[in-house]
Amino acid sequence: MPSNSTRRSAASAHGAPLGEAEAEDLLHGVCFKTGPPRTVGVELEWLIHDRERPDLRVDPDRLDAAEAAVRALPLRSALTYEPGGQLELSSRPASSLSACVDEVAADLAAVRGALTGLRLAPAGLGVDPWHAPRRRLREPRYDAMEQALDRSGPAGRAMMCTSASVQVCLDAGEEEPGPLGYGRRWQLVHLLGAVLVAAFANSPYSRRAPTGRRSTRQAFWADLDPERTLAPPAHPAPRAAWTAHVLDTSVMCIRMDEGPWHVPDGLTFRDWLRGAGPRPPDHSDLEYHLTTFFPPARPRGHLELRMIDAQSGADGWIVPLAVATALFDDPEAAETVYRAVKPLAEVAGDAPAPRNPLWTAAARDGLTDPELGAAAAVCFDAALEALPRLGASTAVQDTVAAFTDRYVARGRCPADDLPRLLGPGGAADWADLSIAPLGRGTHA
């Protein structure tokens, strides 16, 4: 353990030391901010591939040119890049589903146009089916993350550099109990989340080989870390459970003013608050610690649904956004779906998501699992009924209906469209699949 003088010196460049009780109060205040659900957002991650030959790795100079071209666009969504070069668009909080769709669709059209000029395309797949992980971003955060996640095996690098998702952001819900209450929504997300994994599974390959899972991306998340990818225990109450989970989970890294960041082994944030570590933690350290949690649903004041694979096609991303919004924010749909997925708790058992039998089956079997398939049918019907009540446009309703007919009604998921992806003609099939609206394309 460092000496007191060393800790005081290291703390001088940081804020006031944080106490344990203060940390608990902060977490209670920021994890679930309650009120009537009013806003929705989405974060879209995209792999970037050659438009005609996605099986060939794009050289760094072309990726640099693509990044420069996209950064020059007047986007309303926030633009960031993941460690492997995946492009991410994060919408602003929108007052309605339609407003969110319209704004992000306009930004995405601009991004696609910029990439087309460079013979590149954004690929909506949960995991890159061709290429091994290769990290582009060389920053202290990602150096430390790689070092920490390597302790659990190769899944961390695969997640960082070859995965992509659709993340739906919804308000936490009302303080009071009921179908829109935050406690009900928190319980619902860990059962309905498995249905969303199964329905939108879109990553059956990794490194040019089938993995035996329809959502390899979800399997990576389940494997990459023994603590920070798990949901907290179902009891006690959500705020108390999440607070304890955050403080009792090991610190991934400690930011340093100079040189590499410190990567402790087995140091929990509570230990750090109580005097361990190279310097005392401050408020910003707690905020940073929260960014290193990757559970299926993350409470950040709002709920961040993280379990959905990226979706192929020009409008595939709209479907999980619309379905999740309808099922959480329409009271009638929320009640219907809660009743439909509640029996899945018996399948899940006592283990936390995503390391329980329900989530394992969702990633492996998709909607061929009878219980998940039956629950998905109820959920998508409820969503289709709710979308007009939420003011969704006809185009959004038609897109969800096309997905329901093509996949859910047949017990299929997008991964079932991809067996030819690595075979003869697969590159041409992918190129068509990457731009076609739902209901069209070579696999329809």
Side-chain angles (χ1 to χ4, degrees):
M1 179 179 296
S3 67
N4 289 337
S5 61
T6 301
R7 286 172 56 84
R8 283 194 297 271
S9 175
S12 61
H14 296 267
L18 184 68
E20 188 171 347
E22 184 183 1
E24 291 177 343
D25 289 343
L26 286 168
L27 290 169
H28 271 271
V30 303
C31 56
F32 295 94
K33 294 181 179 178
T34 55
R38 291 193 178 97
T39 60
V40 58
V42 68
E43 300 175 16
L44 303 179
E45 296 172 346
W46 302 91
L47 306 165
I48 304 301
H49 284 301
D50 185 278
R51 190 173 178 85
E52 283 75 39
R53 289 296 307 274
D55 53 319
L56 300 181
R57 192 185 287 277
V58 180
D59 66 63
D61 289 343
R62 289 180 70 195
L63 290 174
D64 289 344
E67 180 174 342
V70 173
R71 288 197 183 280
L73 297 171
L75 303 175
R76 287 169 289 185
S77 302
L79 171 69
T80 53
Y81 285 88
E82 295 296 310
Q86 307 97 309
L87 181 154
E88 180 175 343
L89 290 177
S90 301
S91 76
R92 300 182 297 182
S95 59
S96 70
L97 171 62
S98 292
C100 185
V101 169
D102 290 346
E103 184 167 300
V104 175
D107 284 345
L108 184 56
V111 169
R112 286 186 183 277
L115 293 177
T116 296
L118 298 168
R119 295 179 291 108
L120 298 172
L125 297 167
V127 169
D128 188 320
W130 295 282
H131 306 126
R134 184 179 69 179
R135 184 155 63 94
R136 277 180 53 78
L137 297 186
R138 296 291 168 180
E139 300 174 0
R141 168 182 170 86
Y142 296 121
D143 292 344
M145 181 181 292
E146 185 175 271
Q147 181 181 342
L149 296 181
D150 276 351
R151 293 169 179 155
S152 301
R157 295 193 183 204
M159 176 276 294
M160 291 172 66
C161 301
T162 68
S163 71
S165 68
V166 175
Q167 297 180 19
V168 180
C169 299
L170 301 168
D171 287 332
E174 298 173 342
E175 189 71 29
E176 298 77 16
L180 299 184
Y182 85 95
R184 168 78 72 85
R185 287 158 77 89
W186 185 241
Q187 182 182 9
L188 178 64
V189 75
H190 293 103
L191 297 176
L192 176 59
V195 179
L196 299 178
V197 169
F200 295 111
N202 194 31
S203 51
Y205 296 105
S206 178
R207 301 194 187 201
R208 301 178 181 266
T211 65
R213 300 177 176 92
R214 285 169 167 84
S215 179
T216 301
R217 175 185 167 276
Q218 183 57 53
F220 285 159
W221 284 112
D223 291 345
L224 68 85
D225 183 275
E227 302 171 295
R228 70 189 69 254
T229 61
L230 297 180
H235 301 287
R239 286 191 180 96
W242 181 251
T243 296
H245 183 55
V246 168
L247 295 183
D248 293 330
T249 293
S250 62
V251 174
M252 175 179 282
C253 53
I254 297 176
R255 298 167 298 162
M256 308 301 289
D257 296 322
E258 297 180 0
W261 290 4
H262 181 53
V263 183
D265 190 1
L267 173 75
T268 69
F269 201 90
R270 198 183 299 276
D271 293 335
W272 193 10
L273 290 167
R274 292 177 177 178
R279 59 172 176 80
D282 62 18
H283 188 169
S284 69
D285 291 311
L286 179 58
E287 290 180 338
Y288 185 83
H289 181 55
L290 287 169
T291 71
T292 69
F293 282 75
F294 313 119
R298 185 162 61 179
R300 304 184 66 183
H302 60 275
L303 298 181
E304 183 182 77
L305 279 60
R306 304 175 50 85
M307 73 288 294
I308 301 167
D309 281 1
Q311 298 296 292
S312 302
D315 51 9
W317 62 274
I318 294 173
V319 183
L321 170 61
V323 169
T325 303
L327 298 184
F328 277 90
D329 287 1
D330 180 82
E332 184 177 338
E335 189 62 35
T336 297
V337 169
Y338 180 73
R339 291 196 300 267
V341 302
K342 193 173 181 180
L344 297 178
E346 295 184 11
V347 180
D350 295 330
R355 293 197 196 122
N356 63 44
L358 177 66
W359 284 69
T360 299
R364 182 186 62 231
D365 302 327
L367 295 186
T368 64
D369 179 274
E371 291 172 290
L372 287 165
V378 175
C379 291
F380 276 75
D381 285 347
L384 285 167
E385 292 177 3
L387 286 172
R389 296 193 292 265
L390 293 179
S393 68
T394 300
V396 168
Q397 295 179 54
D398 289 347
T399 301
V400 175
F403 185 98
T404 304
D405 291 342
R406 182 171 178 170
Y407 297 116
V408 181
R410 305 180 192 184
R412 303 174 68 249
C413 62
D416 296 323
D417 275 351
L418 302 180
R420 293 173 51 194
L421 193 64
L422 302 185
D429 281 352
W430 175 84
D432 182 66
L433 190 67
S434 69
I435 61 174
L438 283 168
R440 287 170 46 196
T442 58
H443 300 286

